[in-house]
């Protein structure tokens, strides 16, 4: 989990933040979270974003454990 104490993610943007080229930052490319999402999916993991009650945003990343070789 990665959490910050900023204003959070506007609810209308929450479903779009992993879309390529979606950005709310002037001069942003909209590729950072899209690439992060893609890399995590290629490792059979998942990432989700949510707002923290009281302020801030949280990204939850789950990746599978590697099996030990015999």
């Amino acid at each position: 989990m990665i959490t910050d104490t900023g204003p959070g993610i506007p609810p209308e943007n929450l479903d779009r933040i992993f879309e390529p080229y979606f950005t709310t930052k002037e001069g942003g490319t909209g590729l950072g979270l899209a690439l992060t999402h893609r890399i995590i999916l290629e490792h059979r993991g998942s990432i989700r974003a949510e707002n923290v009650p009281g302020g801030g945003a949280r990204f939850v990343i789950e990746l599978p454990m590697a099996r030990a070789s015999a």
Side-chain angles (χ1 to χ4, degrees), residues 14 17 23 26 28 30 36 47 56 69:
L14 209 49
I17 61 171
T23 185
E26 186 163 334
T36 300
I47 181 172
S69 57

Side-chain angles (χ1 to χ4, degrees), residues 19-52:
E19 292 178 13
Y21 307 110
F22 176 77
T23 185
T24 59
K25 295 182 179 182
E26 186 163 334
T29 62
L31 293 175
L33 285 174
L35 288 172
T36 300
H37 184 248
R38 176 77 181 250
I39 290 167
I40 291 169
L41 289 179
E42 287 182 3
H43 285 87
R44 297 186 332 264
S46 66
I47 181 172
R48 71 178 185 273
E50 54 194 33
N51 284 313
V52 178

